Amino acid sequence: MPDRPRFFDDLAGVAGGAFSALSGLREELHAIVRSRVDETLAALDLVRREELDVVRDVAARARLELDAAEARLARLEERVTALEIGTPE
């Protein structure tokens, strides 16, 4: 049985090298695109989703605290008014 001709071995080596090169090129292209997207987002001065969620949570807590403070103030104003009139609470 004759050995495989060297031509096919060389062809397989070239094909393997081409696939390797294409894989490296794909990774490099991905890195370049990612870098450009990051630069564009930085130039637009956008915030990340995580930062927005944190600010939203802080604002929601502040709103709850404000509502509680307003309710307490209303009760205190009622007490002051009652004391000024001289009627018991």
Side-chain angles (χ1 to χ4, degrees), residues 6-88:
R6 183 161 170 80
F7 170 77
F8 291 116
D9 289 338
D10 291 343
L11 184 60
V14 169
F19 285 126
S20 246
L22 287 176
S23 177
L25 183 62
R26 178 184 164 275
E27 291 173 10
E28 186 174 339
L29 182 61
H30 179 71
I32 291 170
V33 168
R34 178 69 180 177
S35 174
R36 292 292 183 173
V37 168
D38 287 344
E39 289 173 11
T40 302
L41 290 176
L44 293 175
D45 199 26
L46 300 174
V47 297
R48 298 213 179 265
R49 181 66 184 198
E50 296 83 19
E51 294 170 349
L52 178 64
D53 290 341
V54 168
V55 170
R56 184 178 297 150
D57 291 343
V58 168
R61 281 194 308 266
R63 182 67 188 167
L64 290 174
E65 291 174 9
L66 177 62
D67 291 343
E70 287 175 344
R72 183 170 182 245
L73 179 61
R75 287 191 309 272
L76 290 173
E77 287 174 342
E78 288 173 7
R79 287 180 66 190
V80 168
T81 302
L83 289 173
E84 287 175 346
I85 296 174
T87 59

